[in-house]
């Protein structure tokens, strides 16, 4: 019998924490969405999906004491940036590149 697994199935008396898969997926979606937001608007759709996956993974990590909190936060940050950047670009383009006769102010 393996001597390192001795106390109730835990290695060296400590419970092994599992990496949350959704946290990894959210980070990958965040990075992909940041790259695609520069090329197409499909990055915005991926960012919205990644935002919800990040949120769910943070809830799971808190509830089940899994690893991957930093990955989930990084994914949430990347996805949030990929949502905010096109919105800011849209606002700036509407404010500065709208013809004067179409402005209401």
């Amino acid at each position: 019998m393996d001597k390192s697994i001795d106390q109730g199935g835990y290695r060296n008396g400590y419970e092994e924490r599992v990496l949350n898969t959704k946290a990894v997926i959210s980070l990958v979606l965040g990075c992909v969405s940041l790259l695609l937001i520069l090329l197409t608007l499909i990055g915005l759709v991926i960012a919205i999906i990644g935002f919800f996956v990040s949120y769910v993974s943070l809830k799971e990590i808190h509830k089940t004491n899994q690893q991957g909190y930093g990955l989930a936060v990084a994914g949430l940050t990347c996805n949030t940036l990929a949502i905010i950047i096109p919105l800011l670009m849209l606002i700036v383009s509407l404010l500065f590149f709208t013809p004067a006769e179409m402005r209401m102010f």
Side-chain angles (χ1 to χ4, degrees):
M1 184 170 151
D2 189 10
K3 294 203 180 236
S4 63
I5 301 176
D6 54 355
Q7 299 175 355
Y10 299 128
R11 187 172 299 275
N12 297 327
Y14 294 103
E15 179 181 356
E16 287 191 35
R17 293 173 46 193
V18 179
L19 181 64
N20 189 302
T21 307
K22 289 184 183 92
V24 177
I25 292 171
S26 71
L27 182 60
V28 170
L29 288 175
C31 293
V32 168
S33 66
L34 278 175
L35 290 175
L36 288 180
I37 204 68
L38 300 173
L39 303 173
T40 63
L41 285 179
I42 192 75
L44 184 63
V45 174
I46 293 172
I48 292 170
I49 294 169
F51 183 84
F52 287 112
V53 172
S54 300
Y55 181 76
V56 169
S57 69
L58 282 172
K59 293 292 240 180
E60 280 184 7
I61 289 168
H62 179 71
K63 188 173 160 182
T64 61
N65 197 25
Q66 293 179 334
Q67 289 182 336
Y69 179 79
L71 295 174
V73 170
L76 188 67
T77 304
C78 290
N79 287 310
T80 303
L81 284 174
I83 292 170
I84 291 175
I85 289 171
L87 294 177
L88 288 176
M89 288 171 48
L90 178 67
I91 291 170
V92 167
S93 66
L94 288 176
L95 286 176
F96 293 112
F97 300 114
T98 303
E101 54 273 353
M102 294 185 72
R103 292 187 187 156
M104 300 181 84
F105 52 91

